Amino acid sequence: MSDFEEFVAPPECPVFEPSWEEFGDPLGYIAKIRPVAERSGICKIRPPLDWQPPFAVEVDNFKFTPRIQRLNELEAQTRVKLNFLDQIAKFWELQGSTLKIPNVERRILDLYSLNKIVVDEGGYEGICRERRWSRVAQRLGYPPGKGIGSLLRSHYERVIYPFYTFQSGASLACQPGPQFDSEEKDREYKPHSIPLRQSVQPPKMNSYGRRAKRLQAETEPTEADIAKNPELKKLQIYGAGPKMVGLGLVVKDRASRKRDKDCLDCPPTLVVKEEMMDEHKVEVCVLEPCAQVKEERAVTDPSGKMTMRLRKGAASMLQECKKPAEAFGFEQATREYTLQSFGEMADSFKSDYFNMPAHMVPTELVEKEFWRLVSSIEEDVTVEYGADIHSKEFGSGFPTKGGKRQLAPEEEQYTTSGWNLNVMPVLEQSVLCHINADISGMKVPWLYVGMCFAAFCWHIEDHWSYSINYLHWGEPKTWYGVPAYAAEQLEAVMKKLTPELFESQPDLLHQLVTIMNPNILMSHGVPVVRTNQCAGEFVITFPRAYHSGFNQGYNFAEAVNFCTADWLPAGRRCVEHYRWLRRYCVFSHEELICKMAACAERLDMGLAAAVHKEMFIMVQEERQLRKALLDKGITEAEREAFELLPDDERQCDKCKTTCFLSALACYNCPDRLVCLFHIHDLCECPPARHYLRYRYTLDELPAMLHKLKVRAESFDTWAGKVRAALEPDSKPKRTLEDLHALVAEAQERKYPDSGLLQQLRSSVQETERCITEARRLAAGKGGRAQADVSETEHKLTVEELRTFIKHLHSLPCDIDLVQDVQDVLEECEEFQQRTHAALRDLPAGSVELRELLEQGGRLPVLVPEVARLQSEALQTEWLREVREALSGRTRVTLELLRPLVEVGSRLQAQPAVDNAMLELNELLAIAERWEEKAHICLKARQKHPAAMLEAIIKEAENIPVELPNVQALKDAMSKARAWIADVEEIQNGDHYPCMDDLEGLVAVGRDLPVRMDELPHLESQVAAAHSWREKATRTFLKKNSCYTLLEVLCPCADVGLDNVRRVKWKRAKDNQLDKADNEGLGLSAQDIRDPGSIILAFKEAEQKEKEGIRELRGRGAGGCVCGRPAGGPSLQCELCGGRFHTSCVPCPCLPSPRRCAAWWDWDVRFLCPLCQRSRRPRLQLILSLLVALQKLPVRLPEGEALQCLTERAIVWQDRARRAMAAREVGAALEGLDEARRRLQADRAKDRSRLGPQQRKVDEQKAESVETTEGKDTKPAGTTTAGVDELRLESPALELSETVQQQLEELMIDGDLLEVTLDENHNLWKVLQAMRCPPHEKMQTLLQIEKLESKLAKLRGRDSAEKRRKRKLDRSDSLPLAEEEAAEEEELEPGEVKRPKEEGERRKGEAELSAQDVGVSRSSVTHNGVEHL
């Protein structure tokens, strides 16, 4: 009814292919793959190819009755829609009409979705009042326009609204709506009547297991049905999938189910009668069970409108329409099939449906069609499925011992194979082998005969156990799985999407009758996997893993459950889950644990440890529960052997759990029983009448726990014996039988396969191997051994025989064949002596040599002299190979020639051998010479022209040898032609080529082994571009700069992100940042080739830089680049406003002489390294770079950026000149010059009053700050005096606020430029004169100057001391001494000598730090010098 979205297959589940060794241990292999496979819920295992068990079912006698499956009733959401349509159809049937579903826009109208949307939108009246029917049409997926909304309203009023009004309890007057003319006919809906088809139920008693009497049937088959279908007597299933609980089967009269063919398909409570009124035949519905219902009349008026009135039967009719849906299940077919007849039916159905042979239909097509059909309402496809057929009665598909089928000898192995589904549940490592009862489907396999589209619904196995399914033959079976961790998520999604089904069947997911599209589950976050199980493959489902699927066609499968040690915790949680759901258990989990604990000595070590853990938890829980009984005042108790009671007599009345350890009963209510979790729900009798029924006392349970613990610890005793036996120096040595006994003990007690056991087995195997080898050697003593080739390959050499004798003495066991092996060694040594004499004295080819060769071949040991006797035979074989190689039928390869030459060189010299070697060497020399020339062309530094390579290739065609380098030369020539084509394309382009393109071509051309005439020209262009880039780099970048040239030339777009800027600077400083050429503008490698992209990016970055710096100045920049907190002398950046330690950044210097009166002319402006990223060359130097750039025939991104930078600088320079030429600024500059002259005249007068001596002292103070060693001078006084001597005056210039703001904005833009302009400095002087004198800054600079002066003197002393020492060492050489003196005289004026010892330098630094005010006592680095 709604458009079906095409199915998308989920991801595939894991697939495993075990080796034969892994396949030998089924449960061990499953435990090995569990960590991977369990995450998907299901997995597929492909056995080794040779594992092909025979099909053991008696095909002729195998008869079964399948189930009927209507596909669209399986899917949960589709079933909800069908139930809704059935209710409407029943309503109109009671009105004497049939339901016809309209067609809208060439598709069936989805009445369920229409009704649901109308309810969601506020109901019929609300939609009509607000005229929102077009919205309803849009939500249904119809296109806008065409009046679809009005048409939907008409259909709703005609079909659904009467039913809705009737359900609400209003009086019903059904006026059939107007009939619309439509090209498409309305489709008559035939009710599915799902409850009426649930008449065939399974038998009441279950003779195959412990599952019985769970539900009671409400409608039963007739006696004739049972007589016709004997399978109904054996039937024990009600629903798809593995194990459904049994239902009762009672014979019912067939007459009660018979209907007339002409009657409407009504519920059983309705009888349709025909009455005549006037000339019209009408149908009157009478509700016979209700005595109050009178005759219903239908009156037809002349206009054709029919009015229905219910007099007293309205209540019964309303009850019938609102009757809740019954439990859904599968009905049983009435026909009995054989495998042949079912296969013919299945193949015919599939081939007819897809209109092609059944085996040729793609699995993907079948899968998509299946999910389309289950979601379709208008297409009813019915299939049959032979599911849950009991192998105990019909026979298993695997061969079994004592079976009816006669097995061939090679088929006997499959009867005991662990992968035989009759064997796997009862393996010793399996938990289910401790359950005595043959639980059908759990311990005894079930059989499944499928056809195309036959499905098994979403379910999990009973007790959350494992399951394994084997497809014996036929077409694939498609599986879907959900892992255990998503089980509750799947249940929640299905309850959310189809709440109507769970309202009538809360345990719907346990009935195995409902599927849901995996795509819907995946859209709600449920992980789903899939797989196609082919014939001969296993599919394993893990505990609590939901799984479902369908069959691709006719096939035969078999399935069973199994439980391993790792399942025990899941089984316990499952019983707790069943207790919460009040669901019956298949077996008692407590009974299973106690039974395994009772036979702890027979448990596998891993299983014993797992049972011990589970039993410990169970005992602790039992203690608490029994303590709760005592607290309640219940003291009476009696022992009960619960395992002897039927399951229905020991089930908790509250939660339906099967009790075993204990239960609570009442003397007054003997029929009631509860588990200890529900002691308050037993009865209303006083606690004194209650008593405990227990299986074991609390003292007996710890004893069982102790047995499990002893079983786990017995391994340690055995391990001690093994270690003593394997000790190399143990005395006396064990016998081989002792080691076998230890291995047998490990197998008997099922010890784990540990490293010690493997070592023991290896020792036993090694001993047995040595005994076998010793027997073989002893059997060959005296030349009795046969010279068999296969045996000769495994013979020992004489040296190996000596080593073998030593190895025999080192074995942990005594071997009595050591002397025989020693005799063999002596015999071989004697043969060697005789062979040496014969080879020395006898001619080649003599009879004696042949006899010796035969005797050596009979020896059980390989003697090296035998090889010399075989050399003549080798010569003959070699000559044959040479003749075959030189026959000329095919080109011989160098790989064949070289081994022949090598072997021939080792042969004895004979004429035939010499002639063959001569021919081989000549051919090999010609081939190798050509290969050498080809190698020179390919690998030599000096490249050769293409013509030479062509000639060499042509020469190779005349050599009858397959030469490997021919193809390499041909490939090189092909690449050379392609390279020339690329060069021509670039050179003939409209624009200069990019640097990256040229570099790529040059790199490729250099790698080619062909001389390319165009390559030097390209290399010169690339070299010129590199030279220009290096020159620009030297012009702009500082020494050891952390920025690239392109970054410096481009604006800093992230200047506003101070943290990002600092982190990037620090990472680049530490060489942790990859420098890419295009980082400056953030362009890709392709965009950087476009000049327009570079210019546009430059403009955008320029704007971001301006906005970012103003934002940064507004909020305040961060601290120093070192990341340390503020402390000690610091400077503030003029651009970003951040404060930096003077020890972390280069500082400006005070002018010299410092007594210049115009302090605003001092260039003490400070820009931090984050703002001043380059040397900032002058504009004239940049223009010269641009002139050189114009001469390059290559495009560089740095060149484009430099042009943009130059244009930006020139524009700013013009702005600055106009601003400085303004009238107000010009007048201020004239006043500033007047103030400068006045200050200089005042300073000159002051100096004239001082004497010559005082004037000299004053000049020394002004030039540098000196401190006398050993004198405690207060730094505060020194610093203050220095600042006072500067006599900084108040602001010397005043401008209007507007002009001042304009100049400051212009100054910010100028500081952002990585170019030095005179206008920038002039503008700064004007702004400096407008501000108060920077006393704090001057004071900081004075401190730095003092510190640097002191450190310079210390460095000077150290260097002078070192020079004096070198001079003394070389005093015998006068020229060297004179040269050293000259070096001292050439010292710079500011450099002084260093102290003699390092301690003096540190002392001087300490004294200096004691004099400086404001200097932090923590270590600070300034210009690479550490001071306090």
Side-chain angles (χ1 to χ4, degrees), residues 51 396 398 414 417-426 442-446 468-472 538 557-562:
W51 195 82
S396 171
F398 288 97
Y414 296 102
S417 173
W419 294 94
N420 186 326
L421 299 195
N422 299 280
V423 178
M424 178 174 283
V426 294
M442 201 158 192
K443 283 186 65 178
V444 180
W446 275 352
I468 183 169
N469 184 294
Y470 180 77
L471 190 61
H472 285 279
F538 291 96
E558 189 168 353
V560 77
N561 292 107
F562 67 94

Side-chain angles (χ1 to χ4, degrees), residues 902-935:
E902 184 179 356
V903 173
S905 64
R906 294 196 297 264
L907 296 177
Q908 284 185 344
Q910 290 184 2
V913 174
D914 295 339
N915 293 335
M917 283 292 296
L918 182 62
E919 188 174 357
L920 287 177
N921 285 326
E922 182 180 0
L923 186 59
L924 181 60
I926 293 174
E928 287 181 343
R929 279 198 302 270
W930 187 94
E931 277 292 307
E932 184 178 358
K933 287 194 294 185
H935 183 76

Side-chain angles (χ1 to χ4, degrees), residues 14-18 29 33-34 36-37 42-47 542:
V15 181
F16 300 95
E17 297 181 359
Y29 182 71
I33 65 175
R34 182 171 66 90
V36 176
I42 66 173
C43 73
K44 183 166 67 175
I45 296 179
R46 293 194 182 105
F542 288 82

Side-chain angles (χ1 to χ4, degrees), residues 1156-1359:
C1156 177
W1159 53 269
W1160 53 84
D1161 289 337
W1162 296 357
D1163 191 7
V1164 292
R1165 182 174 49 161
F1166 169 71
L1167 293 180
C1168 67
L1170 298 178
C1171 296
Q1172 185 173 346
R1173 298 173 292 162
S1174 70
R1175 296 177 181 272
R1176 296 202 173 186
R1178 299 187 65 80
L1179 184 59
Q1180 292 76 4
L1181 187 57
I1182 296 176
L1183 293 176
S1184 65
L1185 285 175
L1186 288 178
V1187 171
L1189 177 66
Q1190 299 299 324
K1191 300 178 182 179
L1192 292 178
V1194 184
R1195 287 181 42 242
L1196 291 168
E1198 291 85 355
E1200 306 287 348
L1202 183 61
Q1203 290 179 1
C1204 295
L1205 176 62
T1206 306
E1207 180 182 357
R1208 180 184 178 187
I1210 293 174
V1211 171
W1212 184 88
Q1213 186 182 46
D1214 183 65
R1215 289 174 53 202
R1217 288 175 177 175
R1218 289 198 305 268
M1220 297 293 289
R1223 180 179 302 175
E1224 182 178 357
V1225 176
L1229 289 176
E1230 292 177 359
L1232 196 60
D1233 293 336
E1234 181 64 27
R1236 184 183 298 109
R1237 288 191 295 270
R1238 179 177 51 80
L1239 289 175
Q1240 290 176 353
D1242 295 342
R1243 183 60 56 89
K1245 292 178 182 179
D1246 294 339
R1247 287 176 58 84
S1248 63
R1249 298 192 190 100
L1250 299 176
Q1253 188 66 26
Q1254 183 64 27
R1255 193 180 301 123
K1256 183 177 181 181
V1257 173
D1258 193 32
E1259 289 175 355
Q1260 292 177 355
K1261 288 183 179 181
E1263 294 297 333
S1264 62
V1265 180
E1266 297 179 358
T1267 306
T1268 306
E1269 292 182 6
K1271 184 178 180 179
D1272 187 10
T1273 306
K1274 291 188 178 182
T1278 303
T1279 305
T1280 305
V1283 175
D1284 291 341
E1285 290 172 358
L1286 296 178
R1287 297 181 182 177
L1288 304 181
E1289 305 262 340
S1290 59
L1293 184 64
E1294 290 184 1
L1295 293 175
S1296 64
E1297 185 177 352
T1298 302
V1299 174
Q1300 182 179 352
Q1301 185 177 1
Q1302 179 184 359
L1303 295 181
E1304 288 177 352
E1305 291 292 329
L1306 193 60
M1307 189 67 200
I1308 292 174
D1309 293 343
D1311 286 340
L1312 291 175
L1313 294 174
E1314 297 295 336
V1315 181
T1316 298
L1317 297 170
D1318 295 335
E1319 289 76 9
N1320 187 284
H1321 182 67
N1322 296 334
L1323 187 60
W1324 184 84
K1325 288 194 296 185
V1326 172
L1327 293 174
Q1328 183 80 347
M1330 294 167 55
R1331 301 168 183 162
C1332 293
H1335 292 277
E1336 181 182 358
K1337 186 174 183 180
M1338 297 299 182
Q1339 178 180 345
T1340 302
L1341 294 178
L1342 282 173
Q1343 292 180 6
I1344 295 172
E1345 188 176 79
K1346 293 177 184 178
L1347 177 60
E1348 290 181 346
S1349 176
K1350 271 290 187 182
L1351 295 180
K1353 293 176 67 175
L1354 293 174
R1355 285 195 297 267
R1357 294 195 190 105
D1358 288 346
S1359 59

Side-chain angles (χ1 to χ4, degrees), residues 240 384 504 550 561 948 1361 1382 1407:
E384 298 182 2
S504 58
F550 67 95
N561 292 107
M948 180 180 292
E1361 181 67 24
E1407 293 173 355

Side-chain angles (χ1 to χ4, degrees), residues 224 380 439:
D380 294 328
I439 305 174

